[in-house]
Amino acid sequence: MTVTELLSYEAALASFDPVMGLEVHVELGTKTKMFCGCSTELGAEPNAQTCPTCLGLPGALPVVNEIGVESAIKIGLALHCEIAEWCRFARKNYFYPDMPKNFQTSQYDEPIAFNGYLDVQLEDGEVFRVEIERAHMEEDTGKSTHIGGATGRIHGASHSLLDYNRAGIPLIEIVTKPIVGAGDRAPEVAKAYVAELREVIRSLGVSEARMDKGQMRCDVNLSLMPKGSETFGTRSETKNVNSLRSVERAARFEIQRHAAVLESGGTIVQETRHFHEDDGSTTSGRIKDNAEDYRYFPEPDLVPVAPAREWVEELRKGLPELPRVRRNRLREEWGVSEQEMQSILNAGAVDPIVATIEAGADAASARKWWMGELARNANEKAVSLEELPITPADVARVSTTSWPARSSRASSPARAPRTRSSRSAV
Ligand code: ADP
Ligand code: MG
Ligand code: ZN
């Protein structure tokens, strides 16, 4: 791999202000695809979940998935967006073997949701508002597997296999406005934004938004302006970053790389870049096409989407309490500090604790169990709290049982696994 010149993070931030744009793709948890009735279930034989529509065969006609539209509206509302009274799908034309129709059905100048924001809380408790440009509906592509090369990339491969099961699975793409003013905290803002967005998506029940399963992925756009300037620089777009930590590292790396290029009098090329998990670096992808190159035009095979205002208002009324509001409420109810709440969140313990309290435990002991013994146990086994063979009801029972004096901790439920019973946390 070619060595990339980097400036130290501190030196980069002393001379430049970063501008960031985050594009997040979320795969919806609908039973069927966006424009046909094929199943979206994971794990099927390659190409078993396909039909003439998602294979792009001549004459096949798409039909819009109503739950897909509903989910998009819910996401838009939760992000404080305006919901279009009328919008259309568009064809984004380009050739790639994993896209059998030769175009992606997406939305272009008429997204279903636009002009919103998401407030994210940073580690020191400060709240940063990230403005949302748009959230639009589109479909996923199929999946290529390159065989014979050393790295699994297309370079050096002898042939490629294609699986179209994923082609046509509904995606919502959420695009931020340029994020300015975050300074040296830009990478932290990026991570906090994607984390909060994931919480919002999960609270709506529209997707599990598991980044490790590719259900949520983030493109990190980044550019630098010399300090004092207000003119945006040329951006790079690091594609498909798939963990929170990687989002932060990718932003940090690009700040250091851009700074090194600019300081030495070079220019940044507008291009996509690949992120490498092993060393946190990015390498050049392809020169970025302009929107004009895609020859977008309105999709002639689908009717426009005009969600009735009554429907939108009904969905607005049905929105759950937003995660940040809920966390603040719980924090007060439980009497814990911001920091403690942050570690509860990081441990994935909010819902288990809530369920344990609902099952009769008091807040302090529910917290103590999930953040103590059980967290340690989950950590050792490298599983999530919800995957432990103990339910919130079990924990509530244990925490309300009065043990004889000096009872040993050998009776800890985590070390005496029970079989799964009713899971009130899920
Ligand atoms: P594309 O289709 O090329 O990815 P989008 O408009 O969908 O373009 O997304 C670009 C993202 O990058 C948006 O989040 C936008 O706010 C952000 N962005 C635009 N210009 C810049 C820039 N100069 N530096 C950093 N981010 C930018
Ligand atoms: Mg993009
Ligand atoms: Zn299909």
Side-chain angles (χ1 to χ4, degrees):
M1 202 176 289
T2 51
V3 178
T4 310
E5 295 283 337
L6 298 182
L7 205 60
S8 83
Y9 192 66
E10 292 66 32
L13 270 301
S15 310
F16 299 99
D17 282 325
V19 177
M20 232 170 22
L22 301 168
E23 298 167 77
V24 173
H25 285 90
V26 177
E27 228 175 59
L28 295 178
T30 54
K31 287 203 159 52
T32 56
K33 293 185 181 180
M34 192 64 195
F35 304 110
C36 63
C38 290
S39 169
T40 57
E41 186 100 26
L42 292 175
E45 283 286 294
N47 299 306
Q49 291 160 345
T50 55
C51 73
T53 299
C54 57
L55 288 178
L57 301 187
L61 288 174
V63 176
V64 175
N65 183 330
E66 185 182 351
I67 304 293
V69 177
E70 184 181 282
S71 304
I73 296 175
K74 285 182 180 169
I75 292 173
L77 290 172
L79 298 175
H80 312 94
C81 288
E82 295 170 50
I83 305 300
E85 307 226 354
W86 190 94
C87 64
R88 276 183 299 193
F89 285 95
R91 291 188 180 187
K92 182 180 185 181
N93 298 282
Y94 65 103
F95 171 77
Y96 202 76
D98 65 13
M99 204 181 55
K101 298 192 298 187
N102 228 11
F103 60 84
Q104 180 189 32
T105 308
S106 182
Q107 293 195 285
Y108 180 48
D109 49 352
E110 298 167 313
I112 185 137
F114 50 94
N115 273 346
Y117 64 85
L118 180 63
D119 285 336
V120 303
Q121 197 155 349
L122 304 182
E123 269 169 28
D124 66 357
E126 194 193 314
V127 175
F128 192 98
R129 176 160 295 185
V130 174
E131 297 194 67
I132 309 286
E133 171 87 43
R134 55 195 276 148
H136 70 248
M137 303 179 280
E138 57 182 40
E139 59 179 338
D140 215 340
T141 57
K143 204 172 159 196
S144 331
T145 308
H146 306 298
I147 310 289
T151 56
R153 291 193 184 275
I154 196 164
H155 303 283
S158 59
H159 61 287
S160 300
L161 300 174
L162 286 157
D163 176 7
Y164 294 114
N165 286 350
R166 198 178 67 181
I169 289 190
L171 291 180
I172 305 297
E173 178 173 344
I174 301 147
V175 183
T176 69
K177 294 186 179 166
I179 301 170
V180 278
D184 61 349
R185 298 164 92 186
E188 189 194 344
V189 168
K191 180 182 168 195
Y193 167 77
V194 178
E196 192 61 32
L197 186 57
R198 189 178 64 177
E199 293 295 311
V200 169
I201 302 286
R202 287 182 180 168
S203 76
L204 296 171
V206 296
S207 169
E208 285 179 43
R210 293 268 306 252
M211 294 186 87
D212 57 334
K213 286 190 182 169
Q215 291 166 336
M216 184 166 171
R217 26 196 212 261
C218 179
D219 301 342
V220 180
N221 293 267
L222 192 123
S223 67
L224 296 181
M225 306 186 284
K227 271 215 177 308
S229 163
E230 285 180 4
T231 313
F232 292 175
T234 303
R235 67 183 154 115
S236 58
E237 181 179 355
T238 306
K239 303 291 284 182
N240 293 324
V241 185
N242 58 13
S243 76
L244 294 178
R245 178 161 174 264
S246 300
V247 168
E248 187 170 24
R249 290 170 89 201
R252 201 178 163 95
F253 184 92
E254 283 299 283
I255 288 175
Q256 292 181 253
R257 185 183 69 83
H258 280 230
V261 172
L262 296 171
E263 284 277 81
S264 68
T267 47
I268 296 290
V269 207
Q270 185 168 335
E271 62 180 358
T272 66
R273 297 188 65 90
H274 303 292
F275 179 72
H276 305 281
E277 297 283 344
D278 49 357
D279 62 357
S281 70
T282 68
T283 52
S284 186
R286 63 180 162 86
I287 298 296
K288 184 75 186 180
D289 297 324
N290 288 316
E292 305 89 75
D293 297 326
Y294 290 116
R295 295 289 184 272
Y296 278 100
F297 64 85
E299 167 60 61
D301 286 342
L302 286 167
V303 292
V305 176
R309 293 299 96 178
E310 299 75 40
W311 186 34
V312 173
E313 288 318 308
E314 207 178 292
L315 293 175
R316 193 193 304 276
K317 281 199 208 97
L319 287 184
E321 185 182 25
L322 290 177
R324 205 173 67 82
V325 176
R326 175 170 180 255
R327 279 200 311 273
N328 284 337
R329 175 175 61 76
L330 293 173
R331 194 173 61 73
E332 288 189 7
E333 285 176 16
W334 299 348
V336 298
S337 68
E338 296 264 7
Q339 252 177 343
E340 223 167 319
M341 197 64 201
Q342 190 65 43
S343 23
I344 292 173
L345 180 70
N346 293 344
V350 178
D351 288 331
I353 293 174
V354 168
T356 305
I357 295 169
E358 276 169 9
D362 65 85
S365 50
R367 225 172 58 233
K368 198 179 92 220
W369 276 104
W370 287 107
M371 291 302 290
E373 191 65 23
L374 296 174
R376 258 194 305 284
N377 208 269
N379 207 14
E380 271 164 27
K381 295 191 172 118
V383 296
S384 70
L385 289 177
E386 317 224 17
E387 285 166 311
L388 285 177
I390 183 166
T391 67
D394 294 332
V395 179
R397 196 149 12 87
V398 173
S399 72
T400 51
T401 304
S402 43
W403 299 97
R406 312 219 72 239
S407 81
S408 101
R409 302 196 83 193
S411 57
S412 153
R415 273 181 239 152
R418 290 150 200 243
T419 46
R420 259 166 214 248
S421 52
S422 64
R423 307 286 310 273
S424 39
V426 283

